[in-house]
Amino acid sequence: MITVKATIKASIEKVWNFWNSPEHITKWSFASPDWHTPYAETDLREGGKFKSTMAAKDGSMSFDFEGEFTLVKPNEALEYVMADGRKVEITFAETADGVEITESFDPETQNPEEMQRAGWQSILDNFKNYTENN
């Protein structure tokens, strides 16, 4: 598994809400400024599905990021299986410095692991910046 982390200076309730609400996901869920997420839906419960569309702003490409929740512990943890079968585990821990998010995921085989780590870390950093500034 590959793991990325960030500490967000916000309440656990705000972090959980911004992480899971489609109206917020569309504002932070992309790895670089030339991409965006024009669509997101979430059925936040065990067995519930989620889907977001990540797209290049120039329209040259897009893909759906989707899966099914296998664990939902509000303000604590999420686990899901992506459409391709890879697993993701996310924990939310309150610390003296804010909420630490730890996200671990099974790597895919097309891209180097370091590239995948950098992409997921970039998205997590976008989340941190968006949440702390909104």
Side-chain angles (χ1 to χ4, degrees), residues 58-87:
D58 68 7
S60 62
M61 63 185 306
S62 71
F63 65 93
D64 288 335
F65 181 77
E66 58 189 315
E68 181 175 321
F69 294 107
T70 55
L71 176 76
V72 176
K73 291 175 81 174
N75 300 334
E76 289 180 39
L78 288 173
E79 292 180 10
Y80 59 84
V81 177
M82 290 186 270
D84 64 7
R86 294 183 295 138
K87 294 181 180 163

Side-chain angles (χ1 to χ4, degrees), residues 18 26 52 82 95:
F18 277 36
T26 58
S52 58
M82 290 186 270
T95 72

Side-chain angles (χ1 to χ4, degrees), residues 28-37 55-57 119 122-123 126:
W28 61 262
S29 187
F30 44 88
S32 64
D34 53 339
W35 280 72
H36 66 145
T37 300
K57 287 183 178 175
S122 181
I123 293 169
N126 278 349

